[in-house]
Amino acid sequence: MKSIIKRKTMCIAGLLVLAALLGVGAQAAVAEENALTMSMGAIGDLGTDPTLSANLFPESGGRGVYHPYTHYSPLIDWDNDGNIIPWVAESFEVSDDLKTITFHLRKGIKFADGTPLNASIVKFNFDRVITYGCTDMRDKQKLPIYLYYDYSEASDENTFEIHFTQGWLNVARDFPRNQAYSEFISPLDVDPAWDITGTLKPDKRYNGIGPYYVDENESIPKEKVVLIKRNSWRDDLNFHAPKIDKIVLTLIADPQTAVLALEKGEIDYICRYWNPSIDSLVKLENAPEITIETEPDARTFFLTTAYWKEPFNGSDGILLRKAICYGLNRKEIVDGAFSGYATPATDTMHLSPLSPEVPGCCYKGYDYDMDKAKKLLAEAGWKDMDGDGILDKNGKPLELDLAISSSLTLGWMKDLAVMVQSQLEDMGIEINIRSLEPSAYSNTLSAGSAGDFDLILAYTDPGVYPMTHKLMVFNSSMSYMRSMYVNGNDTLDEIVYNAYMASNKMERDQYICEVCNILYEDAGLIPLVHPMKYAVMNSKVKGFKFDAGWGTYEHVEECEIGK
């Protein structure tokens, strides 16, 4: 009996030791979990359909913050220098008439449930997006890929062709980074199957060709999205294989709160679209546990003038605008408002030298020259008649309203506006800064000649977008610019459109030069700085590389977490 009890006791003791060892192993596994937590300024609902527009289908459509990880796989992409690189398509060619682009799909790509991707599925997605799901994009951005879409076809399992009624030089460059053709769903996942107007089945909402799925048990709608790595074709083909096992996207609306969370080790990375302010960077520069990555960017921050009203209208208005261009010390602005995280924008009209394919004709602008600025002001009739330091004309002081946005994501506007205010007051121009709510700012910016401002701060897209794309979006989104300048019988709007639809480089550059010359001669917009890209992260995050766009998706899954 004692022998039996002894054996049982030994067995129990052994099990306890084994359990303890397993517990230690489990704790070690948890401790070594390769996870990254990223703060974001907005977290939407779960289970939306990336092939449908949120405007057209507010209950089910729209691109969620998780879609880049569950679905993102464009046919072709841009690298950070704006070069086209293969992704789902391993190669492509454009027809001589620029009306057809043929993609040769990479073999071995599968959805999460094992469904192979083929040309017929790609065709289904294009037809769904362009003719049904995102038609509002056609009217909003007026991009040729929507306007001139004719039809698409699957020549064979791995060959997809898309045809347009009209060709343009940058047809291939318009494909990367667009929701319409970057995030595919399976036609078997909609009801009815293969119906481009079908509804995505709820149980298939994460069945993309991205390397992650959403863990809804851990995720909290509009607060936190937890992404878990799954085996994917990127692993199988050793193509940009992800290294992070778990990504947590967490809502921290205030950038300064995100900085505090980073300092405490609660998050590992701040999504650049909701970056902290420049003054935060200065405080973090010497923190050993934090890394700040930087890189030149091709965005431009600039002032736009209310050309249609006094004091900016007419020939004297052009002189005033040029005087402001010469009177701004952009180097001082870079050092003061941006702590060196920018470069002066003196040699271009709207287009940065870092933008892809900008012709040399655009490299002209207004260097700092206060004497020339004062001379132009006097020529326009502006003089300090009462000795109060403010210029006058016809009994009216030169007082201007400068509108900015109060959006947390545009926090740079406040410091920049204060620097501009100070420098223009040194010239004798009184500036009143008016901060607008984000929606009011957007409405003011696009209100045409009804816009309630004298000056307004604005900005361009990141540099990898084709220059003609930048001008087209700039021109259409700021509608008051569309008929601002007249050159012969053509408006600026028409010249921009001709540049976009050019069939060869010589023709395109000719139109771009016309645009740059008009913007330069009339000084309708006043370039200020080209901001630097910067990314703030825990120093244990290794292998970070900048994204080609706004920074909402930086391929952080390809980073590694060090100790």
Side-chain angles (χ1 to χ4, degrees), residues 121 133 240:
I121 291 178
H240 290 269

Side-chain angles (χ1 to χ4, degrees), residues 511-530:
Y511 285 122
I512 287 290
C513 287
E514 286 188 52
V515 172
C516 286
N517 188 60
I518 291 170
L519 295 177
Y520 172 73
E521 291 296 337
D522 287 2
L525 57 87
I526 300 164
L528 298 172
V529 300
H530 303 305

Side-chain angles (χ1 to χ4, degrees), residues 23 29 153-154 164 188 191 210 243 269 285 324 337 356 408 510 525:
E153 59 181 325
F164 300 95
L188 300 174
D191 187 18
K243 300 173 183 176
Y269 173 72
E285 285 175 343
I324 293 176
L408 292 175
Q510 178 183 342
L525 57 87

Side-chain angles (χ1 to χ4, degrees), residues 15 19 30 97 110 125 147-148 151 250 259 312 331-332 338 374 378 414 418 449 457 465 491 496 514 520 555:
L15 289 173
V30 171
D97 62 4
K110 297 178 181 179
N125 278 269
L147 290 176
Y148 300 114
Y151 67 96
T250 185
V259 170
F312 289 117
K331 178 63 169 63
E332 185 179 275
F338 294 90
K374 291 181 176 180
K414 181 179 179 181
V418 169
S449 58
L457 273 176
Y465 291 94
T491 64
V496 167
E514 286 188 52
Y520 172 73
H555 292 288

Side-chain angles (χ1 to χ4, degrees), residues 349-413:
M349 297 291 102
H350 172 71
L351 291 171
S352 164
L354 293 177
S355 297
E357 304 167 348
V358 175
C361 60
C362 292
Y363 300 156
K364 57 184 177 182
Y366 300 91
D367 292 322
Y368 175 59
D369 190 330
M370 183 59 78
D371 291 337
K372 186 174 289 187
K374 291 181 176 180
K375 182 178 179 181
L376 288 168
L377 288 169
E379 189 178 340
W382 294 101
K383 298 178 181 179
D384 183 5
M385 304 301 293
D386 52 14
D388 64 352
I390 303 300
L391 300 175
D392 306 279
K393 182 178 180 181
N394 299 327
K396 295 182 179 180
L398 186 47
E399 297 179 357
L400 300 175
D401 170 85
L402 170 56
I404 65 173
S405 172
S406 63
S407 170
L408 292 175
T409 62
L410 301 175
W412 53 268
M413 282 195 175

Side-chain angles (χ1 to χ4, degrees), residues 338-487:
F338 294 90
S339 300
Y341 287 92
T343 56
T346 57
D347 60 347
T348 61
M349 297 291 102
H350 172 71
L351 291 171
S352 164
L354 293 177
S355 297
E357 304 167 348
V358 175
C361 60
C362 292
Y363 300 156
K364 57 184 177 182
Y366 300 91
D367 292 322
Y368 175 59
D369 190 330
M370 183 59 78
D371 291 337
K372 186 174 289 187
K374 291 181 176 180
K375 182 178 179 181
L376 288 168
L377 288 169
E379 189 178 340
W382 294 101
K383 298 178 181 179
D384 183 5
M385 304 301 293
D386 52 14
D388 64 352
I390 303 300
L391 300 175
D392 306 279
K393 182 178 180 181
N394 299 327
K396 295 182 179 180
L398 186 47
E399 297 179 357
L400 300 175
D401 170 85
L402 170 56
I404 65 173
S405 172
S406 63
S407 170
L408 292 175
T409 62
L410 301 175
W412 53 268
M413 282 195 175
K414 181 179 179 181
D415 290 341
L416 179 54
V418 169
M419 290 290 296
V420 169
Q421 178 188 51
S422 175
Q423 292 191 5
L424 292 186
E425 286 182 350
D426 288 342
M427 295 172 58
I429 303 173
E430 185 169 346
I431 297 294
N432 300 307
I433 299 173
R434 183 162 52 98
S435 182
L436 304 174
E437 291 297 320
S439 59
Y441 170 82
S442 297
N443 292 337
T444 300
L445 196 62
S446 59
S449 58
D452 181 21
F453 66 89
D454 297 317
L455 296 166
I456 190 167
L457 273 176
Y459 52 93
T460 66
D461 290 342
V464 298
Y465 291 94
M467 67 185 126
T468 46
H469 174 95
K470 282 181 140 183
L471 286 173
M472 183 75 89
V473 173
F474 161 78
N475 213 34
S476 61
S477 63
M478 302 178 192
S479 57
Y480 58 84
M481 293 292 293
R482 300 185 67 182
S483 57
M484 175 175 175
Y485 301 102
V486 177
N487 183 14

Side-chain angles (χ1 to χ4, degrees), residues 183-387:
E183 294 162 348
F184 301 117
I185 63 172
S186 170
L188 300 174
D189 292 349
V190 299
D191 187 18
W194 287 95
D195 185 342
I196 65 170
T197 67
T199 302
L200 184 64
K201 298 175 184 177
D203 63 322
K204 292 293 187 178
R205 54 185 174 270
Y206 306 129
N207 186 35
I209 53 179
Y212 291 83
Y213 71 92
V214 175
D215 184 340
E216 290 193 351
N217 292 325
E218 283 197 64
S219 299
I220 303 174
K222 298 185 179 180
E223 292 185 23
K224 178 175 71 171
V225 178
V226 178
L227 299 154
I228 306 298
K229 182 180 179 297
R230 59 192 175 196
N231 180 260
S232 70
W233 64 273
R234 285 168 58 174
D235 293 307
D236 297 338
L237 303 183
N238 195 26
F239 181 84
H240 290 269
K243 300 173 183 176
I244 303 294
D245 297 322
K246 180 179 179 180
I247 299 175
V248 180
L249 311 177
T250 185
L251 174 64
I252 304 180
D254 178 24
Q256 299 309 312
T257 303
V259 170
L260 292 175
L262 184 66
E263 290 179 310
K264 294 177 181 178
E266 297 171 351
I267 62 173
D268 304 309
Y269 173 72
I270 300 176
C271 182
R272 282 201 302 117
Y273 193 82
W274 294 278
N275 244 336
S277 60
I278 295 291
D279 59 340
S280 297
L281 300 187
V282 177
K283 298 176 183 178
L284 297 173
E285 285 175 343
N286 296 319
E289 72 278 7
I290 293 174
T291 296
I292 302 174
E293 298 283 355
T294 62
E295 186 174 276
D297 195 7
R299 295 177 67 196
T300 303
F301 294 166
F302 59 93
L303 287 170
T304 293
T305 65
Y307 70 93
W308 60 86
K309 65 179 182 180
E310 293 185 350
F312 289 117
N313 59 343
S315 57
D316 285 349
I318 293 177
L319 294 175
L320 172 59
R321 300 195 301 252
K322 287 185 176 181
I324 293 176
C325 279
Y326 282 118
L328 289 171
N329 187 334
R330 294 165 177 83
K331 178 63 169 63
E332 185 179 275
I333 290 174
V334 166
D335 295 337
F338 294 90
S339 300
Y341 287 92
T343 56
T346 57
D347 60 347
T348 61
M349 297 291 102
H350 172 71
L351 291 171
S352 164
L354 293 177
S355 297
E357 304 167 348
V358 175
C361 60
C362 292
Y363 300 156
K364 57 184 177 182
Y366 300 91
D367 292 322
Y368 175 59
D369 190 330
M370 183 59 78
D371 291 337
K372 186 174 289 187
K374 291 181 176 180
K375 182 178 179 181
L376 288 168
L377 288 169
E379 189 178 340
W382 294 101
K383 298 178 181 179
D384 183 5
M385 304 301 293
D386 52 14

Side-chain angles (χ1 to χ4, degrees), residues 502-515:
S503 59
N504 59 73
K505 183 179 183 300
M506 183 178 296
E507 180 185 7
R508 180 195 62 196
D509 287 358
Q510 178 183 342
Y511 285 122
I512 287 290
C513 287
E514 286 188 52
V515 172

